[in-house]
Amino acid sequence: MKNLTFRQLKVFETVARHLNYTKAAQELHLTQPAVSMQVKQLEDVVGLPLFEQMGRKTFLTDAGHELYRYSRAISAMFAEMDDVFGALKGMERGALSVSVATTAGYFAARLLAEFARTYPQIQVSLDVTNREALLGQLERNECDLVIMGRPPAEMELEAEPFMDNPLVVLAPANHPLAGRTAIPLAEVAKENFVVREEGSGTRSAIERFFAAHKVQPTTVMELGSNEAIKQAVIAGLGLGIASMHTLELELETGRLVVLDVEGFPIVRHWYVVHRKGKRLSPAAQAFRAYVLQEGAKLAPGLTSSGR
């Protein structure tokens, strides 16, 4: 691997991210033949094929997946080095990679926008994805910081809570339970529910709550996003449970209501998370401090009571 170059890795990483030579060439401002040549040279160095074509689609080989993991780690180290030397020069600059849980995406963009106005020289990338993908990124050390719900105890992580995350029961505005107060949980449990997919942090919290109260609601549909949950509830397919932080627009327009159910809201928390022992760049340190200080102010009106 002596003849491997950082440029080859960068070209490979871009192709691996897009799984498309044309898009990679556009991003890199190179011709497609030039990109193909760099990948071919890298394959010669590695001694194994990195991509395979099936029809019109490009896929990573097993060797390609392995090299992509190393390439991401090397790129992260170079970015960290750039940040560290920039800080030594007294410059507030650098790159920051933040991944957030899907539900947190409703306020994370606002949080990053405010941070970017404070630190305009820091280049920020944001990935909004599900809990399983977040845990994978943390395991592979692919991002600087993660914003998520309850972190798993079995992973070696540094996690600090910065904001309440109240889960509430949703209903369409014309639902018979709308407007009632102190609705018994047992009565609500008789209703049909639409829920998030297995592995979702919200789904796990709901299951723990109902198990603790020894009730078993009827699930009529599993859906993969908060938007899908809200649309299903509006359509009358069942009640839903979601974070108050996802409901601002629907509550303002009256398309959904929050039911006053005994035991709700389920108050969880949002955490800013990174791998234990990870050396945070100055940019990541600045963002972490900003989240802990300012994060809870970005959800006006969404108190822990949920109403």
Side-chain angles (χ1 to χ4, degrees):
M1 305 287 281
K2 290 180 183 178
N3 297 323
L4 184 149
T5 68
F6 184 69
R7 178 174 177 78
Q8 288 170 343
L9 280 180
K10 183 173 179 58
V11 170
F12 163 76
E13 187 177 323
T14 308
V15 177
R17 180 157 33 85
H18 290 290
L19 291 177
N20 185 294
Y21 281 80
T22 302
K23 290 181 180 178
Q26 291 171 347
E27 180 178 324
L28 294 165
H29 303 291
L30 296 171
T31 64
Q32 186 171 329
V35 170
S36 299
M37 182 182 69
Q38 292 280 347
V39 171
K40 179 63 171 62
Q41 290 174 348
L42 185 55
E43 287 180 328
D44 290 342
V45 172
V46 174
L48 293 166
L50 301 172
F51 297 99
E52 56 184 347
Q53 293 290 137
M54 294 184 185
R56 294 186 176 182
K57 292 188 176 181
T58 302
F59 298 90
L60 283 165
T61 63
D62 289 343
H65 280 290
E66 288 297 322
L67 185 60
Y68 187 50
R69 182 168 62 87
Y70 283 111
S71 177
R72 292 287 298 270
I74 291 168
S75 295
M77 289 182 67
F78 269 87
E80 179 182 311
M81 181 178 68
D82 189 49
D83 288 345
V84 169
F85 283 103
L88 291 174
K89 296 174 185 176
M91 301 162 62
E92 289 182 338
R93 58 184 292 275
L96 173 66
S97 171
V98 179
S99 294
V100 305
T102 305
T103 303
Y106 287 86
F107 64 82
R110 191 184 311 169
L111 182 63
L112 282 164
E114 293 295 330
F115 176 77
R117 278 190 276 272
T118 305
Y119 297 95
Q121 298 301 316
I122 294 177
Q123 184 179 5
V124 181
S125 65
L126 172 65
D127 183 24
V128 180
T129 188
N130 60 34
R131 181 179 177 87
E132 182 180 358
L134 289 179
L135 296 179
Q137 290 180 8
L138 284 167
E139 180 69 29
R140 296 185 297 271
N141 195 28
E142 290 181 348
C143 54
D144 294 315
L145 293 166
V146 163
I147 292 176
M148 65 186 300
R150 182 180 182 180
E154 64 272 17
M155 288 185 70
E156 293 192 349
L157 303 172
E158 297 282 354
E160 293 192 71
F162 65 92
M163 183 164 61
D164 285 352
N165 176 23
L167 301 181
V168 295
V169 182
L170 315 178
N174 61 354
H175 195 278
L177 295 177
R180 285 182 51 186
T181 59
I183 306 167
L185 181 61
E187 183 176 351
V188 171
K190 296 175 184 176
E191 299 283 330
N192 292 330
F193 277 80
V194 292
V195 298
R196 286 291 301 273
E197 76 283 7
E198 286 282 356
S200 139
T202 300
R203 171 75 173 267
S204 299
I206 293 167
E207 290 177 342
R208 288 193 299 270
F209 174 83
F210 282 128
H213 289 80
K214 296 181 171 56
V215 295
Q216 183 63 51
T218 301
T219 297
V220 295
M221 190 177 296
E222 291 186 3
L223 297 165
S225 71
N226 293 297
E227 288 303 312
I229 291 287
K230 291 187 291 185
Q231 292 304 316
V233 173
I234 290 170
L237 294 175
L239 301 183
I241 298 175
S243 167
M244 276 293 289
H245 296 150
T246 70
L247 303 176
E248 191 171 1
L249 179 61
E250 288 77 14
L251 295 180
E252 285 181 359
T253 57
R255 300 178 73 195
L256 288 173
V257 295
V258 174
L259 298 184
D260 183 8
V261 179
E262 291 181 348
F264 280 84
I266 304 170
V267 181
R268 303 173 70 219
H269 297 91
W270 290 116
Y271 295 81
V272 57
V273 183
H274 63 85
R275 287 279 298 269
K276 187 171 289 186
K278 180 180 178 67
R279 180 178 178 179
L280 294 180
S281 68
Q285 290 178 35
F287 182 69
R288 177 177 167 278
Y290 186 85
V291 168
L292 293 175
Q293 182 175 340
E294 303 293 334
K297 302 175 185 177
L298 291 175
L302 301 182
T303 65
S304 61
S305 69
R307 288 175 288 279

